[in-house]
């Protein structure tokens, strides 16, 4: 209840919600449990990362926006951009290989793998390393910019919370100089809207980059210690149709 209370707090001044690293939910939260115990809570918004599951939109169509973002991430690490094809095949609902670098059931059987594509969303980044053309090292190189969240597949990235690695992959115009300026500006004062951010950067003003200043999904980690025993609970929280946050997992 305390986590939902923090997330559901109305915006100061009654304006549109703005999520940033300065927001109440982004601060470490301690909840007294008894005289000697405290429950520690950390909340992280999912919209700061590029969600691998947004590679397929709600209609099952490949999202070119997410495809290009993943390709930029791979290029920045001097990795092959063709690896994105196999990710799309793993997530999409059909069994048709997308191209010569794609992979469906027959390709995994030919490789002698003990598994086949799930034809559904990724649930962890560890799963990404199982996909044809990928391995743990590749995943670790782009890990700071990505997530695998099955509950939220929006393509919008929160410019107030995104790490520099994710910002750099948003468009070809997002060069290191622009990203550093964004980080400096939002640290002094979070952007109140995407239009405000665009007004600061002429090179981005005409770009239709899916961005937001409001996050819809959060990962919550709750830790408690009793003597020598420590327990951890992880929750997924999402905004519902009434603009209220609810626990979905």
């Amino acid at each position: 209840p305390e986590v939902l209370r923090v997330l559901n707090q109305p915006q100061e001044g009654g304006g549109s919600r703005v999520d940033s690293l300065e927001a109440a939910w982004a601060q470490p939260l301690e909840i007294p449990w008894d005289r000697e115990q405290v429950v520690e809570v950390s909340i992280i918004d999912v919209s700061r990362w590029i969600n691998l599951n947004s590679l397929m939109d709600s209609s099952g169509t490949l999202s070119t926006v997410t495809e290009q973002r993943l390709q930029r991430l791979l290029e920045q690490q001097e990795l092959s951009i063709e690896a994105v094809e196999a990710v799309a095949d793993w997530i999409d609902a059909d069994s048709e290989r997308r191209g010569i670098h794609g992979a469906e059931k027959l390709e995994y059987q030919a490789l002698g793998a003990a598994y086949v594509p799930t034809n559904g969303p990724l649930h962890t980044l560890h799963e990404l390393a199982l996909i044809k053309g990928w391995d743990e090292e590749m995943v670790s190189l782009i890990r700071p910019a990505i997530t695998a969240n099955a509950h939220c597949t929006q393509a919008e990235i929160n410019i107030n919370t995104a790490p520099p690695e994710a910002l750099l992959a948003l468009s070809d115009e997002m060069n290191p100089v622009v990203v550093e300026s964004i980080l400096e500006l939002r640290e002094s004062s979070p952007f109140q809207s995407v239009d405000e951010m665009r007004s600061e950067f002429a090179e981005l003003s005409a770009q239709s980059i899916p961005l937001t200043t409001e996050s819809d999904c959060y990962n919550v980690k709750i830790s408690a210690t009793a003597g020598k025993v420590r327990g951890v609970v992880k929750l997924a929280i999402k905004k519902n149709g009434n603009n209220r946050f609810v626990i979905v997992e």
Side-chain angles (χ1 to χ4, degrees), residues 50 52 122-130 136 139 142-144 146-148:
I50 298 169
L52 296 172
L122 292 161
H123 293 276
T124 70
L125 293 181
H126 295 295
E127 194 176 351
L128 178 60
L130 299 176
E136 291 288 354
V139 176
I142 66 171
R143 181 182 292 271
I146 61 173
T147 188

Side-chain angles (χ1 to χ4, degrees), residues 9-238:
Q9 282 182 352
Q11 183 73 16
E12 291 185 12
S16 299
R17 182 185 177 94
V18 174
D19 288 308
S20 73
L21 299 177
E22 305 301 319
W25 60 260
Q27 313 312 311
L29 179 63
E30 293 187 349
I31 304 173
W33 187 255
D34 58 28
R35 293 181 179 179
E36 299 180 355
Q37 298 179 8
V38 173
V39 176
E40 300 174 344
V41 180
S42 64
I43 304 174
I44 299 179
D45 67 311
V46 175
S47 300
R48 67 179 61 194
W49 297 301
I50 298 169
N51 192 346
L52 296 172
N53 291 313
S54 68
L55 191 56
M56 305 302 298
D57 65 22
S58 57
S59 66
T61 303
L62 180 70
S63 166
T64 56
V65 169
T66 302
E67 178 186 33
Q68 290 170 358
R69 288 174 174 176
L70 292 176
Q71 289 173 342
R72 290 189 194 98
L73 281 175
L74 293 171
E75 284 182 328
Q76 289 163 11
Q77 299 297 331
E78 299 182 349
L79 299 170
S80 173
I81 64 173
E82 281 82 8
V84 177
E85 275 190 0
V87 180
D89 274 336
W90 186 277
I91 295 172
D92 67 20
D94 63 49
S95 298
E96 297 180 7
R97 191 175 69 170
R98 291 185 171 273
I100 60 173
H101 299 287
E104 288 287 358
K105 181 178 179 179
L106 292 178
E107 284 69 40
Y108 287 91
Q109 291 176 335
L111 290 171
Y115 53 85
V116 296
T118 60
N119 289 338
L122 292 161
H123 293 276
T124 70
L125 293 181
H126 295 295
E127 194 176 351
L128 178 60
L130 299 176
I131 297 177
K132 178 178 176 288
W134 290 80
D135 56 33
E136 291 288 354
E137 183 179 1
M138 288 178 64
V139 176
S140 67
L141 288 172
I142 66 171
R143 181 182 292 271
I146 61 173
T147 188
N149 188 290
H151 301 290
C152 296
T153 56
Q154 65 182 50
E156 292 85 2
I157 300 295
N158 190 329
I159 55 175
N160 284 325
T161 60
E165 295 87 350
L167 291 173
L168 277 170
L170 295 185
S171 77
D172 293 332
E173 290 71 28
M174 281 285 194
N175 58 61
V177 175
V178 172
V179 169
E180 183 61 31
S181 297
I182 289 175
L183 296 177
E184 291 177 358
L185 286 171
R186 78 183 193 188
E187 183 177 1
S188 61
S189 179
F191 296 107
Q192 298 301 299
S193 68
V194 174
D195 287 340
E196 179 187 339
M197 187 276 289
R198 293 189 193 281
S199 68
E200 297 284 347
F201 304 96
E203 57 269 70
L204 301 179
S205 60
Q207 301 297 318
S208 57
I209 310 170
L211 299 171
T212 185
T213 54
E214 183 176 350
S215 300
D216 285 345
C217 291
Y218 298 82
N219 292 332
V220 179
K221 180 180 178 181
I222 304 173
S223 306
T225 302
K228 295 182 179 181
V229 179
R230 181 175 177 82
V232 176
V233 174
K234 295 182 179 180
L235 304 174
I237 293 180
K238 180 180 180 180

